[in-house]
Amino acid sequence: MDKRGLEIDEVLDILKEARKKDLKYEDGRILGSMCTVPHPVSLEVYRLFYETNMGDAALFKGTKELEKESIRMLGALLGNENACGFIVTGGTEANLTALWAAKSIKKSIKEDIKKKSQVIVPQSAHFSFEKAADILGLEIVRARLNSDMTVDVRDIEKKVCKDTLALVGVAGSTEYGTIDDITAISDIALENDLYLHVDAAFGGFVIPFLEDVGYRSRPFDFSIKGVNSITIDPHKMGMAPIPSGGILFRDRSLIEYMKTSSPYLTEKTQYTLSGTRSGAAVASTYAVLKLLGREGYIENLKRCMELTDYLYHEIKGLGFDTINPTMNILVFSHKDHKDVLERLTEKGWIVSSTRRGEIRLVIMPHVTKDRADELLRDLETISWH
Ligand code: 0PR
């Protein structure tokens, strides 16, 4: 650190230089990200709430009320207005919190878990479950996928054993945007008295609106009896700024065992993994939910799905093998051109690939029709040569 502080202009110049090196969503070339330009109201909200801390919520009662209200709105979106939960840093923390809850509930019943408990997750599950299992000392068991890339529920059933602690279903998979048969997974969970978590980090702000924009949906939320918790990330399709993840539990009894108490906290108790936690993230999530409402999210998704559908048909027309999209994630490949990803990268596109090597596009709100047409022209040259 410098001995003496710099002038504000000097610091700002350094920051601006650094920012110039960043790519911008607005450029419309980022096609592999699940994040996007947040709603502009967030800027004003961050200014208002920048010092607030949910880690000591008794100091910030107003902001805490906004968190409760945000969770109530998210719960209502997910079929349970009485859900409880928290705004956390993202899907990783939300998934970790869910498995932590599952483990602490089991610990409270059987004081000692001797053997490593198992969590059965679909092969399509996000890598955050690996991290969570490592941190919590759990073992991940991966269930096979069907040819449509949803989890093979019979394989989950086969893998359930006396060491199984929890099951995970994915509603909006990272790679393909597919939705698992949560109803069938819930039946297995109820039959075997297992905890069930649904990862709807991406799908949580998509699936509830799919039918409104003319697409097929699938039940995935608290309306299914066995679902104990759901991850839903406002900083993905929720249009809130980073960091904003949501972890929701069916009822309070599920979080009781995660409670920590401390005499030096004004509120005395805390439930989240993070201690000090951004109140600005909470307030801006609240503001975006209130400003957009259902209609705003439907409008947003409608644009994304129209563009996804357009790209799907055009890319198919160019001779690529395409997978019919469930949501605004489009996956395709070309048997004669294994290097599509490389060629698109050379042309300045930021795309990602699946573990099987297909190209994966996430059609977020910052992707425009003009950029989509530009991409199609580049794909056309690739498919010719
Ligand atoms: N669950 C699912 C289904 C996800 O897709 C992701 C992230 C997570 C959990 C973890 O969420 P956080 O990253 O918020 O902790 N999926 C994207 C991925 O890993 C995240 C991402 C976002 C990647 C923006 C790149 C990017 O530019 O691919």
Side-chain angles (χ1 to χ4, degrees), residues 33-35 90-92 95 126-128 172 174 199 201 233 235-236:
S33 174
M34 287 188 159
C35 295
T92 302
N95 288 339
H126 186 259
F127 56 80
S128 49
T174 310
D199 184 359
D233 280 357
H235 74 197
K236 295 191 167 74

Side-chain angles (χ1 to χ4, degrees), residues 25 30-36 202 350-352 360-364 366:
Y25 297 114
I30 301 179
L31 302 177
S33 174
M34 287 188 159
C35 295
T36 192
F202 187 78
I350 319 295
V351 292
S352 54
R360 165 184 172 268
L361 307 181
V362 189
I363 312 301
M364 294 299 287
H366 59 261

Side-chain angles (χ1 to χ4, degrees), residues 56-279:
D56 200 358
L59 299 183
F60 303 101
K61 290 200 173 71
T63 319
K64 183 66 198 169
E65 277 168 24
L66 296 180
E67 182 174 40
K68 284 198 175 134
E69 187 52 22
S70 303
I71 295 297
R72 195 196 59 75
M73 285 189 274
L74 292 176
L77 182 67
L78 300 174
N80 177 11
E81 235 179 283
N82 299 317
C84 67
F86 307 95
I87 300 297
V88 295
T89 52
T92 302
E93 187 182 339
N95 288 339
L96 172 55
T97 305
L99 297 193
W100 183 29
K103 185 176 170 177
S104 48
I105 293 163
K106 185 157 176 189
K107 246 173 55 187
S108 75
I109 305 167
K110 306 181 176 175
E111 352 44 89
D112 194 18
I113 305 179
K114 287 201 182 70
K115 239 186 124 198
K116 259 194 179 179
S117 294
Q118 296 181 349
V119 180
I120 306 177
V121 310
Q123 252 164 21
S124 57
H126 186 259
F127 56 80
S128 49
F129 289 103
E130 300 278 355
K131 294 185 188 175
D134 200 24
I135 293 165
L136 296 167
L138 303 171
E139 188 187 336
I140 289 288
V141 175
R142 290 197 174 258
R144 282 183 29 208
L145 301 184
N146 299 310
S147 57
D148 67 359
M149 305 312 277
T150 61
V151 73
D152 177 351
V153 177
R154 279 163 314 171
D155 199 40
I156 297 185
E157 204 159 20
K158 271 192 237 152
K159 289 188 157 71
V160 170
C161 67
K162 62 174 185 2
D163 296 322
T164 311
L165 167 73
L167 306 181
V168 170
V170 183
S173 64
T174 310
E175 291 190 319
Y176 298 90
T178 45
I179 310 167
D180 290 333
D181 186 349
I182 307 294
T183 312
I185 305 175
S186 159
D187 289 344
I188 303 172
L190 291 171
E191 217 165 276
N192 296 280
D193 197 19
L194 297 171
Y195 188 97
L196 171 56
H197 174 66
V198 174
D199 184 359
F202 187 78
F205 277 97
V206 175
I207 307 167
F209 311 118
L210 274 177
E211 279 177 6
D212 294 293
V213 301
Y215 275 75
R216 266 191 33 216
S217 184
R218 204 171 192 185
F220 76 105
D221 61 14
F222 289 115
S223 59
I224 303 169
K225 210 170 148 218
V227 174
N228 294 118
S229 54
I230 304 180
T231 290
I232 172 172
D233 280 357
H235 74 197
K236 295 191 167 74
M237 282 294 281
M239 308 301 291
I242 300 166
S244 182
I247 176 66
L248 271 79
F249 294 92
R250 178 176 287 278
D251 59 64
R252 282 203 80 77
S253 69
L254 296 167
I255 62 167
E256 270 321 298
Y257 306 106
M258 299 191 301
K259 182 155 88 183
T260 20
S261 307
S262 167
Y264 48 79
L265 284 174
T266 329
E267 204 179 58
K268 305 285 184 276
T269 56
Q270 218 178 61
Y271 292 85
T272 47
L273 278 164
S274 304
T276 302
R277 200 155 56 89
S278 165

